[in-house]
Amino acid sequence: MLLEVRDIHVHYGKIAALKGISLDVADGEIVALIGANGAGKSTTLKTISGLRPLSGGQIVFDGQDISKLAGHKRVRLGIGQAPEGRGIFPGMTVQENLLMGAYARKGSVSRELATVYELFPRLAERKSQYGGTMSGGEQQMLTIGRALMTNPKVLLLDEPSMGLAPMLVAQIFEIIKEINSRGTTVLLVEQNAHQALQLAHRAYVLETGRIFKSAAASELLHDPEVRAAYLGGDLGVS
Ligand code: ATP
């Protein structure tokens, strides 16, 4: 198992956001986390990348207990995160933003840069444009591209489809599929449950800080409870 999350508990002050989440991600998989607003999806990703401390439980990555490891050291081990809300540097060019993503790496990053430009030709076209002047979809691409600059073993994606037009959502999901087929494992948080379940191999459904259900994504797409709660009844599934 590449990533093992074991019974993690996370608090914001006195509020328990995660109340014992356990999940596994195998090498090569795309795993989705779905669930309502506030269920704890983003917190789970932030805890794996080291942005939130654990108040209980354990995270094991590539056989190593990383529960107490600083975030930048987790990046070096191969955990790459594309945060929610983009978080690019608006006053830097596209290329400078990408190079910032590689700050934790030693040595040349020309191969990573070439890969990102191959996956996102739009970023190559716009490499000298300021990040802040890119469209919402382009900024989303930049966020994912920046996370790829560390050549991660697992890519953590927080709501990559947020605020994007349907055509662009389809495009971003295609690119995620391509990133995965080139060997990067993906753990994806999505509001857009229907698209996420079509892309992922497996998924976990979160409800108020706990895992409510987990199964093969194709199974969850046809699960009556999941359909009623997250896929808009019968309307969501083709
Ligand atoms: P969404 O889909 O709305 O982003 P989510 O499933 O990602 O939701 P989280 O953002 O992980 O949910 O939030 C889990 C719980 O923790 C929520 O009750 C939320 O209000 C709380 N929470 C998140 N961030 C903070 C914070 N910085 N301070 C206090 N409470 C927080």
Side-chain angles (χ1 to χ4, degrees), residues 12 15 17 35-44 52 84 159 189 191:
Y12 292 101
I15 299 167
N37 289 115
K41 306 180 297 296
S42 295
T43 301
T44 303
R52 293 298 317 172
E84 187 183 3
E159 309 240 5
V189 159
Q191 283 284 326

Side-chain angles (χ1 to χ4, degrees), residues 2-3 45 47-50 59-62 66 69 71-82 147 150-156:
L2 183 60
L3 175 69
L45 287 197
T47 307
I48 295 168
S49 63
I59 302 173
V60 177
F61 180 68
D62 224 1
I66 60 161
L69 206 63
H72 68 278
K73 291 189 179 155
R74 299 188 198 194
V75 174
R76 274 195 207 132
L77 285 179
I79 300 179
Q81 178 161 18
T150 58
N151 197 12
K153 290 182 184 146
V154 65
L155 180 63
L156 310 179

Side-chain angles (χ1 to χ4, degrees), residues 10 27 47 69 79 87-88 100 125 139 169 172 206 208 215:
V10 175
D27 199 12
T47 307
L69 206 63
I79 300 179
I88 57 147
M100 283 299 286
E125 285 163 23
Q139 290 192 23
V169 173
I172 289 272
L206 270 69
T208 55

Side-chain angles (χ1 to χ4, degrees), residues 14 16 19 24 34 45 61 73 97 107 131 144 152 162 180 183 187 198 215 222 226-227 236-237:
K14 284 189 180 143
K19 304 166 192 165
D24 293 327
I34 61 171
L45 287 197
F61 180 68
K73 291 189 179 155
N97 265 280
I144 300 173
M162 192 169 58
N180 176 252
L187 178 58
Q198 285 187 322
H222 297 99
V226 172
R227 286 175 74 149
V237 183

Side-chain angles (χ1 to χ4, degrees), residues 88-101 113 117 123-134 139 142-143 146:
I88 57 147
F89 302 103
M92 289 185 178
T93 66
V94 166
Q95 180 138 324
E96 286 165 349
N97 265 280
L98 290 174
L99 293 174
M100 283 299 286
L113 197 59
Y117 284 151
L123 296 182
E125 285 163 23
R126 306 284 171 108
K127 63 180 160 199
S128 306
Q129 187 174 325
Y130 286 114
T133 63
M134 301 280 278
Q139 290 192 23
L142 184 52
T143 306
R146 195 176 55 183

